Amino acid sequence: MRGLSIAIVVLAACGRFGFDPHTGGGDDVQPNGDAQGNGDGNGTGDGGTGDGAIDAPALISPNCGTTVLINDDFGDGAIGSQWTMVTSAGYTVNEAGGNVAVTFPATANANTRAGYRQVASVPFANVCAIAEITGVPASAQAFVYVRLGTPTLNVEMYVQAGNLTARFTNGGTSATIGGATAWSATNHRFLRVRNTGGTNYVFEAGPSLTSFPTFLGSQGGILLNNLSPSSLEIGGSTSTMAASGAGTVRFESVTFLAP
């Protein structure tokens, strides 16, 4: 009977916490397993819409650290304390239904943007920034992005004109990294910018948090060590030209991991 009791406890614990990277998360900066996220007592919890039914092992992504800086599935319908909103005239940013939607104005001016920016300034050494994207712009002059840095000093992955690309910007210098690939809503649902030491970055995409088979390229020597603030940003933006009819871009989740 003692062995049976132990088995029941173990099974109950597994059902309570789960290991699905898409459950829970809410607006937590650290996973905390609060009452809303894990407590209906039937072995499955309320992780789909809660604020913390997820545990650290579920957030392990290959070649990334396990310290959770941000884990947000946008399930609570409100901007979390780890974010501040950035927006330009005419844009709307709305969190609802398990996603963040950035809607462009009918005609968006050149070099404008809107989205969420991390409040904290953090070291970029060996971080992994992962954004789950489910909506891209309808205009070739607009793009959706996940960015480490500022508008004038950054590395980023973006989808524009149906293509997935990576690039860096350093003051007046900007260049793409590797080659562009046709964006697939399934195969490139998750975009990952990964620091591999110093100022070296790798750009990858894949269908899940644990699979990144698409390698866009890598880049070294980009001076991102002295940024102020050094933060993660997600959003929608125009290029050097105005964009008409760009529509709405959507993010389903953001995971930001450190060593």
Side-chain angles (χ1 to χ4, degrees):
M1 292 299 292
R2 178 179 176 83
L4 178 59
S5 298
I6 292 173
I8 291 173
V9 170
V10 171
L11 289 172
C14 291
R16 179 179 178 85
F17 293 114
F19 289 91
D20 183 355
H22 294 289
T23 57
D27 286 328
D28 290 345
V29 177
Q30 297 285 352
N32 59 22
D34 64 29
Q36 183 181 358
N38 63 18
D40 66 10
N42 64 7
T44 59
D46 292 329
T49 58
D51 277 344
I54 197 163
D55 63 350
L59 290 175
I60 292 176
S61 189
N63 301 310
C64 294
T66 56
T67 299
V68 181
L69 300 177
I70 293 176
N71 166 38
D72 199 343
D73 67 359
F74 310 120
D76 62 359
I79 187 169
S81 61
Q82 72 271 43
W83 299 115
T84 185
M85 190 179 296
V86 294
T87 188
S88 302
Y91 286 76
T92 60
V93 182
N94 182 52
E95 181 173 328
N99 64 74
V100 170
V102 179
T103 301
F104 292 78
T107 299
N109 292 333
N111 299 310
T112 55
R113 78 190 202 279
Y116 279 7
R117 183 172 179 82
Q118 183 186 11
V119 171
S121 183
V122 299
F124 286 158
N126 297 304
V127 297
C128 286
I130 307 166
E132 183 183 6
I133 294 176
T134 56
V136 301
S139 168
Q141 282 72 49
F143 59 93
V144 59
Y145 63 88
V146 52
R147 172 183 296 167
L148 289 175
T150 70
T152 57
L153 188 58
N154 65 65
V155 291
E156 65 183 358
M157 294 180 71
Y158 64 101
V159 180
Q160 182 174 10
N163 290 316
L164 172 63
T165 316
R167 67 181 162 201
F168 74 89
T169 300
N170 190 342
T173 302
S174 182
T176 57
I177 299 165
T181 187
W183 182 72
S184 164
T186 300
N187 297 332
H188 306 141
R189 186 182 181 98
F190 290 79
L191 309 186
R192 183 168 75 170
V193 180
R194 180 164 58 92
N195 179 276
T196 59
T199 54
N200 300 307
Y201 292 84
V202 172
F203 304 88
E204 302 154 309
S208 74
L209 189 65
T210 57
S211 178
F212 291 89
T214 301
F215 171 72
L216 292 183
S218 60
Q219 181 72 37
I222 307 167
L223 301 178
L224 295 181
N225 291 331
N226 298 316
L227 284 176
S228 180
S230 53
S231 301
L232 167 67
E233 183 174 313
I234 60 168
S237 179
T238 56
S239 64
T240 56
M241 299 176 62
S244 297
T248 299
V249 301
R250 297 183 187 276
F251 296 85
E252 294 288 323
S253 68
V254 170
T255 304
F256 197 19
L257 303 173

